[in-house]
Amino acid sequence: MKWTKKTSFFLLLSCYPIVISAQSITIDATKTADELVQVLTNTSSCLTIYPATASGSPIKKSFATFNKNGSTFPFTSGIVLSTWESENSKGPYDPGFSGSVASWSGDSNLDAILGINSLNATTLEFEFESKANYLSFNYLFASNEYIRDYPCNYSDGLAILIKDVTTNSNYSNIATLPDGTAVSSKNIHPAISSSDPTLTKCEAKNEKYFGQYNTNLTNLSPINYAGQTTILNAKSKLEIGHKYKIKFVIAEDRSRAQFSAVFIEAGSFTSTIDLGKDRLVVDKTSICNGETFEIQTKISNSGNTFKWYKDGASTPLPGETNPSLLVNQAGTYKVEVTDSSGCNFIGQIKIEYSIGMNLKDVQLAKCDDNGSGSAFFDLTSLNTIMANNNPDTTISKYYEDSALTIEITNPKVFEKTNSGDQIVYAKGINSKLSCSETATITLKTLASSQNLNSLPPPIIKEFSGGKNSIELITPSTSANYEFSIDGIQYQNSAKFTRVPKGNYNAYIRNTATCDYASYPFTILDYPSFFTPNGDGSNDVWKITDLDNYPTAVIYIYDRYGKLLKQLNSLSNGWNGTLNGYLLPADDYWFRLILNENQVINGHFSLKR
């Protein structure tokens, strides 16, 4: 907005012919402030409007009505407030405009909002009361600041201020973007870049709200401004029965050179019903699967009639005549409310339902060995299945009741205590959804019965001390089995390690039917020492439990390889003597031949 800075720009464009035959908006600057408000509100019976005031240029009015006049302008008609005489707003865009422009004062409210020292402020103010709880209207901002590097440095802008007169509240600005940013040329523009080193460069700001440049001389604009925003919407919640004051203001930043305007759509200043924000999947506010949602008008049923519509239908939903509507399907819902005076106003909301996690109900079964019906379950063992193998879904908590009030604090060891089936509940959450869902876990206890036969022999590795092991072999079927060597503690693995020597019973159980097989087995091992001192404890060295190997033979040697003793499976052991003489404390070696396929060599200590 500098006369000196725009001179070279004018000289450059003056070389191009400007064709003024393009369709332009028309401007009527004869209207009073009250007439502007009538256009803005469409003389709605739902609004009580009090006398309006307007201020601006001292020479010719800087406020007016407009009509698109068959042009491409996005509003059919409305009002315009500008920082120069309104008649100058008629297109096409003229970069070399040389008409006289008055100078007048700025506006302190706008200065505080935009942080500028404004000039040429035009305002429209009036008070009103609404029979609805919501106010909304459409507007766009146009400016000649949208040339060169001016958006990097200058904030021609506007404010739409509203306050509750009934409660004596302060003004709040509703001419903002969704994040609260005030509307101005500095706050809404594309990236500004030029090869001219004298010009400032700056990144785009809120570019999606910038509509277009109007500087193309082969595609002339219907308005005389270098650029404009998209259609913006101002809205405010209202208290029914309260009086409000609204003030529209637009002004220049610091100097009067590149002028601006706000265009407000005729009839868009309407009292509507605030049904709340759209409930959308994209912003995680959608309604959860299976839930019912109540759309509320928050308007009294007394003296008002209500009609509800879905998805643009012209016929109301049958039987729905209340101030609220319960819905369980996605759709765009609209309500029409008519009061006793004939005032008709509407509200609309879009309802979407979450796509859902599709949690899977599962069953967990345990075998009931004693017929009590009780068992301990790991409720977390099927989390992946319940989450439908979705990595974004987490099973977060577990509950004993469907109302999800009795939380299970230790789900890995949950005891089912009754004789019948028990249902518990798992709550699932998904990082990409706003909802939670519930899956059921049915806990079953099944009676055990010994029905499995003809099992392959186990693989036993013994005489290994702490490395003794046994691996149980299952039938060649696709069933799932669990395994035990004491009949109490079962595991999923068929292999048991670090098994002490001794006699055991192996159990192999089908987890689906609880049918099981059982057979005895023995883990053999040899003592690592003995103490033949006559105290009756550990006086002989003997490998016990050789009964299953009647042909077994044990040879005992000293450190020099001399054979000292030969034992069989029925021998009482060796007492540490040779030919009646006590042998010294030392290490001795043995060779055990269990059968023709298995020979074990080892050593032990004689301690005195």
Side-chain angles (χ1 to χ4, degrees):
M1 287 190 337
K2 298 99 291 250
W3 288 111
T4 55
K5 284 191 177 181
K6 71 187 241 183
T7 303
S8 59
F9 185 69
F10 288 164
L11 290 175
L12 174 66
L13 292 177
S14 64
C15 299
Y16 293 88
I18 299 178
V19 181
I20 311 297
S21 60
Q23 204 71 23
S24 169
I25 65 169
T26 58
I27 295 290
D28 183 353
T30 66
K31 302 297 184 182
T32 65
D34 289 327
E35 289 173 322
L36 295 184
V37 174
Q38 290 174 9
V39 171
L40 186 61
T41 63
N42 199 25
T43 319
S44 171
S45 62
C46 300
L47 292 166
T48 300
I49 303 296
Y50 296 89
T53 60
S55 65
S57 171
I59 300 176
K60 294 181 180 180
K61 288 181 179 178
S62 53
F63 50 85
T65 61
F66 71 86
N67 188 287
K68 71 181 295 181
N69 191 33
S71 70
T72 58
F73 196 67
F75 297 147
T76 301
S77 60
I79 69 170
V80 57
L81 310 179
S82 61
T83 63
W84 58 359
E85 286 71 21
S86 294
E87 63 183 19
N88 296 333
S89 297
K90 292 185 295 185
Y93 170 60
D94 180 5
F97 179 82
S98 58
S100 62
V101 177
S103 176
W104 64 95
S105 60
D107 182 84
S108 60
N109 293 131
L110 192 60
D111 291 348
I113 291 169
L114 297 180
I116 64 175
N117 185 12
S118 64
L119 295 170
N120 285 31
T122 297
T123 65
L124 173 65
E125 301 176 72
F126 60 94
E127 294 182 350
F128 69 94
E129 294 178 25
S130 173
K131 294 181 180 180
N133 61 4
Y134 199 64
L135 174 70
S136 171
F137 55 90
N138 301 321
Y139 69 99
L140 67 80
F141 171 71
S143 180
N144 286 325
E145 289 291 354
Y146 286 121
I147 58 173
R148 293 173 60 86
D149 61 349
Y150 298 154
C152 301
N153 304 302
Y154 292 88
S155 282
D156 279 15
L158 65 108
I160 301 171
L161 307 172
I162 189 169
K163 65 180 179 180
D164 190 330
V165 176
T166 302
T167 60
N168 196 29
S169 66
N170 296 321
Y171 273 130
S172 61
N173 181 28
I174 59 175
T176 63
L177 303 182
D179 64 358
T181 301
V183 174
S184 74
S185 55
K186 198 171 185 178
N187 289 339
I188 303 174
H189 63 76
I192 307 299
S193 179
S194 172
S195 59
D196 187 342
T198 65
L199 298 180
T200 304
K201 297 180 181 180
C202 58
E203 295 181 354
K205 289 190 69 174
N206 300 300
E207 186 175 10
K208 67 179 180 179
Y209 299 106
F210 180 75
Q212 65 185 50
Y213 283 109
N214 297 325
T215 54
N216 187 340
L217 299 184
T218 62
N219 185 17
L220 299 181
S221 166
I223 60 173
N224 188 16
Y225 296 97
Q228 64 194 57
T229 66
T230 59
I231 295 176
L232 305 174
N233 179 259
K235 53 192 175 183
S236 177
K237 290 185 178 181
L238 305 173
E239 291 290 336
I240 297 174
H242 284 210
K243 179 186 286 189
Y244 289 85
K245 183 174 184 178
I246 192 164
K247 175 182 178 180
F248 301 83
V249 55
I250 187 166
E252 294 280 293
D253 178 8
R254 287 175 279 175
S255 63
R256 57 181 196 88
Q258 306 296 347
F259 302 98
S260 302
V262 57
F263 293 84
I264 309 169
E265 186 178 20
S268 66
F269 190 101
T270 57
S271 293
T272 56
I273 303 169
D274 181 17
L275 299 180
K277 292 183 178 180
D278 291 341
R279 305 298 293 268
L280 306 176
V281 171
V282 67
D283 57 13
K284 295 186 178 182
T285 60
S286 54
I287 309 303
C288 301
N289 277 347
E291 290 188 3
T292 299
F293 180 72
E294 184 178 21
I295 306 173
Q296 297 181 349
T297 62
K298 298 180 181 179
I299 296 176
S300 170
N301 200 18
S302 177
N304 299 306
T305 60
F306 299 82
K307 293 180 181 179
W308 291 91
Y309 301 83
K310 182 176 183 289
D311 294 333
S314 58
T315 303
L317 295 172
E320 300 295 348
T321 58
N322 293 319
S324 62
L325 177 70
L326 290 175
V327 301
N328 54 20
Q329 294 180 342
T332 299
Y333 293 87
K334 184 180 78 171
V335 63
E336 288 185 0
V337 182
T338 304
D339 68 8
S340 57
S341 68
C343 167
N344 182 274
F345 41 95
I346 64 171
Q348 184 167 291
I349 187 173
K350 186 175 184 179
I351 302 295
E352 293 181 346
Y353 273 78
S354 295
I355 56 177
M357 288 174 266
N358 296 317
L359 296 186
K360 301 293 185 183
D361 296 333
V362 296
Q363 290 187 358
L364 285 174
K366 281 288 187 73
C367 299
D368 185 4
D369 298 320
N370 55 21
S372 66
S374 65
F376 288 93
F377 292 85
D378 180 2
L379 304 182
T380 70
S381 60
L382 297 180
N383 278 0
T384 301
I385 296 175
M386 281 192 288
N388 207 11
N389 294 305
N390 187 338
D392 295 318
T393 296
T394 301
I395 305 301
S396 61
K397 293 183 178 181
Y398 306 81
Y399 298 87
E400 292 190 45
D401 62 321
S402 59
L404 309 185
T405 59
I406 306 174
E407 185 177 351
I408 298 170
T409 56
N410 190 358
K412 286 185 173 293
V413 187
F414 177 74
E415 185 178 11
K416 170 185 173 292
T417 58
N418 54 26
S419 59
D421 294 348
Q422 182 176 351
I423 296 177
V424 295
Y425 302 85
K427 180 179 179 181
I429 59 175
N430 187 296
S431 59
K432 295 183 178 180
L433 302 174
S434 61
C435 302
S436 63
E437 292 183 13
T438 303
T440 62
I441 306 173
T442 302
L443 307 179
K444 293 177 172 290
T445 45
L446 306 175
S448 297
S449 58
Q450 189 166 358
N451 290 322
L452 297 179
N453 297 304
S454 303
L455 296 179
I459 300 172
I460 299 176
K461 293 184 179 180
E462 50 199 341
F463 296 105
S464 302
K467 296 182 180 179
N468 292 338
S469 68
I470 179 171
E471 184 174 1
L472 308 181
I473 308 302
T474 61
S476 55
T477 68
S478 59
N480 291 323
Y481 293 92
E482 58 184 359
F483 309 89
S484 175
I485 57 175
D486 63 5
I488 300 173
Q489 300 295 326
Y490 281 83
Q491 65 182 42
N492 293 326
S493 172
K495 187 173 184 179
F496 295 82
T497 59
R498 306 181 67 86
V499 182
K501 66 179 182 178
N503 297 312
Y504 298 89
N505 278 310
Y507 295 86
I508 300 177
R509 187 161 64 184
N510 185 320
T511 59
T513 65
C514 290
D515 292 344
Y516 72 93
S518 178
Y519 52 83
F521 71 93
T522 300
I523 293 290
L524 297 176
D525 214 337
Y526 59 89
S528 60
F529 68 93
F530 75 113
T531 57
N533 54 14
D535 64 356
S537 174
N538 205 25
D539 284 333
V540 297
W541 186 87
K542 179 181 180 180
I543 297 177
T544 58
D545 301 316
L546 283 178
D547 304 16
N548 294 328
Y549 301 91
T551 62
V553 180
I554 305 173
Y555 301 95
I556 299 175
Y557 304 88
D558 65 13
R559 66 172 53 248
Y560 304 106
K562 179 180 179 180
L563 178 64
L564 305 177
K565 187 72 175 179
Q566 177 177 330
L567 307 171
N568 60 36
S569 62
L570 300 178
S571 297
N572 293 324
W574 180 49
N575 61 4
T577 65
L578 177 63
N579 298 326
Y581 292 96
L582 299 178
L583 292 179
D586 202 349
D587 285 343
Y588 293 85
W589 274 255
F590 74 90
R591 180 179 182 84
L592 167 64
I593 302 175
L594 280 176
N595 51 51
E596 60 182 9
N597 296 318
Q598 190 172 6
V599 177
I600 295 96
N601 296 303
H603 65 89
F604 59 92
S605 297
L606 187 160
K607 297 181 179 182
R608 292 191 183 277

